[in-house]
Amino acid sequence: MWIWICVAIIVVSLVVHVVLSRRIWRAVREFIAEIHALGTTSANLGFELSRVGAAPAVAGPVSPRHGMNLDTRA
């Protein structure tokens, strides 16, 4: 009788172990994916911030703003 109780406890503990390890592994994979997405976002943000104040990509004549002639303004 006692042997069956011990076997049942072992079987139940193994099932719990398998179920929890799958959930933990899934959570770890999702966490790694979130870290990767955060790294990508950080890289994109760094690229965009490095462009702040940089020269325009296309160098061409710049028209005056709001009709002002900037060349004659001293």
Side-chain angles (χ1 to χ4, degrees), residues 12-52:
V12 168
S13 65
L14 287 175
V15 168
V16 168
H17 176 73
V18 168
V19 169
L20 288 181
S21 64
R22 284 185 180 181
R23 287 187 181 196
I24 290 171
W25 180 243
R26 186 181 316 137
V28 167
R29 283 187 296 164
E30 290 175 0
F31 182 66
I32 290 172
E34 291 292 329
I35 289 174
H36 179 70
L38 182 61
T40 303
T41 302
S42 176
N44 291 341
L45 181 61
F47 175 71
E48 291 295 329
L49 288 177
S50 70
R51 292 178 55 197
V52 172

Side-chain angles (χ1 to χ4, degrees), residues 63-70:
S63 62
R65 294 185 180 187
H66 306 292
M68 293 173 44
N69 190 353
L70 300 177

